[in-house]
Amino acid sequence: MRHLLSAGDLSLAEATSILDVAEEMHTIQSRQIKKLPTLRGRTVINMFFEDSTRTRTSFEMAGKWMSADTINISTKGSSTSKGESLRDTMLTLDAMGTDCFVIRHGSSGAVAQAASWVRAHVVNAGDGTHEHPTQALLDAFAMRRHFGTVDESGTGGDEVFAGKRIAIVGDLLHSRVVRSNVLLQRTLGSSVTLVAPPTLLPTGVEQWGVGVTSDLDEVIEGADVVMMLRVQRERMHGGFFPTEREYTELYGLPPQRLARLKPGAAICHPGPMNRGLEISSEAADAANSLILEQVTAGVSVRMSVLYHLLGGSPE
Ligand code: CP
């Protein structure tokens, strides 16, 4: 694997290998001394041109726990704020001997463009409304553990996803998480249904090969996982729904809708959450909420991704 730019680039074998190695990495998180020598001498630069809590911190932890030298760069404090182009910034840092760039950028396609300029490996940590492949991988990791199919050797089969029904609900139009999840979950064998008001459905969604509806109540009882997506107010220019109250009633998870989930069904949210808008506190903090498990999985999965890119084959 040279880069990780899109969840659609991963074959079933590659995705399963990342999830299996993440299981090994997961054990590190419960240790007192969280350090492996795996990436000693390798340099990973985290370049975040958009805000992040989970992704940036977990990539930094992942690199550090595997003994890589990790460096963080953001727009403020780098020469991009003086007008240097992304290309010149990338070429400059690549020329210093960087081994891997982890990039978040506000423009869809910018990370793939950056990858075409450099010799180093590149991971897409979220590009505009396009993709966020490591989020989809960590979601799958948390789901796989939830489904309880991780065997005693610490690895789970990919067959666990076959026939599972995943409902992805909310602001799909502005979401990079939904695109990566659809691509990955289709590879893994799940059945995905997208749920959103018509105004928040992406153009061409009917060609994505998934179910699409605007009625959450139609799918809530059959779902094995309900993934709630953040209403991205910062990307909205105009009114996409009449009122927040109406949105919450139709597309939120208040207690009365929560009660209709089937036993064993899980709630996911990639974060950050708008509590009281797309998700109620009762749902976010429910026993079957995987939200903190998703965060924990973020470090293990990103360790595994860096390992696959920089550390050689799992064998
Ligand atoms: N889910 C996610 O990407 O969160 P951050 O924006 O905090 O990284």
Side-chain angles (χ1 to χ4, degrees):
M1 217 164 80
R2 170 139 169 69
H3 303 302
L4 179 55
L5 303 175
S6 164
D9 294 341
L10 296 171
S11 65
L12 177 58
E14 286 169 326
T16 304
S17 174
I18 290 171
L19 298 178
D20 288 347
V21 173
E23 283 292 344
E24 305 288 335
M25 301 304 184
H26 198 70
T27 61
I28 308 288
Q29 272 171 298
S30 53
R31 289 190 197 163
Q32 202 171 10
I33 310 289
K34 302 174 180 63
K35 208 72 168 176
L36 295 173
T38 322
L39 299 185
R40 195 159 49 201
R42 314 305 296 272
T43 302
V44 178
I45 300 193
N46 296 321
M47 305 179 73
F48 278 69
F49 299 107
E50 256 193 4
D51 293 342
S52 167
T53 297
R54 281 148 279 269
T55 313
R56 185 172 54 187
T57 311
S58 58
F59 263 115
E60 188 174 355
M61 276 187 181
K64 287 196 156 104
W65 289 359
M66 290 197 294
S67 304
D69 296 305
T70 57
I71 295 166
N72 293 317
I73 290 182
S74 56
T75 313
K76 195 167 160 32
S78 76
S79 288
T80 52
S81 67
K82 299 181 203 164
E84 185 173 65
S85 68
L86 178 62
R87 184 170 185 273
D88 283 333
T89 301
M90 295 304 305
L91 292 175
T92 300
L93 296 170
D94 198 47
M96 290 178 189
T98 306
D99 294 298
C100 182
F101 292 102
V102 175
I103 307 176
R104 172 169 289 189
H105 200 283
S107 300
S108 302
V111 179
Q113 183 72 73
S116 73
W117 295 323
V118 296
R119 170 204 46 79
H121 301 280
V122 174
V123 182
N124 182 358
D127 63 324
T129 59
H130 179 225
E131 276 219 48
H132 193 354
T134 58
Q135 178 70 45
L137 284 162
L138 73 87
D139 293 338
F141 183 84
M143 287 179 207
R144 195 171 77 156
R145 288 181 74 86
H146 174 75
F147 294 142
T149 56
V150 176
D151 66 25
E152 281 168 10
S153 67
T155 58
D158 45 64
E159 69 282 358
V160 57
F161 290 97
K164 289 289 186 301
R165 289 191 272 187
I166 319 284
I168 307 182
V169 186
D171 181 0
L172 309 180
L173 182 64
H174 302 103
S175 175
R176 49 198 175 210
V177 173
V178 70
R179 285 167 180 76
S180 291
N181 260 291
V182 165
L183 290 165
L184 183 66
Q185 287 295 337
R186 286 191 60 197
T187 301
L188 294 173
S190 306
S191 163
V192 178
T193 302
L194 305 180
V195 187
T199 49
L200 288 173
L201 286 171
T203 310
V205 71
E206 51 291 338
Q207 268 102 56
W208 289 14
V210 295
V212 181
T213 177
S214 289
D215 185 357
L216 177 54
D217 290 317
E218 201 179 89
V219 298
I220 194 79
E221 283 161 2
D224 295 291
V225 175
V226 181
M227 181 182 292
M228 309 305 287
L229 295 181
R230 184 169 69 89
V231 173
Q232 301 197 31
R233 294 180 177 110
E234 75 279 14
R235 295 192 205 272
M236 289 184 177
H237 308 288
F240 287 89
F241 42 83
T243 63
E244 291 194 350
R245 189 174 159 173
E246 185 179 311
Y247 181 89
T248 302
E249 250 170 54
L250 293 175
Y251 299 101
L253 268 190
Q256 61 275 23
R257 195 170 275 132
L258 197 58
R260 293 176 53 207
L261 284 174
K262 68 180 181 186
I267 300 158
C268 290
H269 192 304
M273 292 183 278
N274 293 308
R275 283 180 187 253
L277 179 52
E278 74 269 0
I279 190 163
S280 62
S281 282
E282 289 85 351
D285 303 328
N288 54 336
S289 162
L290 299 187
I291 294 169
L292 289 178
E293 280 82 352
Q294 289 172 271
V295 175
T296 306
V299 186
S300 319
V301 162
R302 285 162 180 143
M303 288 173 82
S304 177
V305 166
L306 292 177
Y307 179 76
H308 278 78
L309 290 173
L310 295 170
S313 77
E315 289 75 32

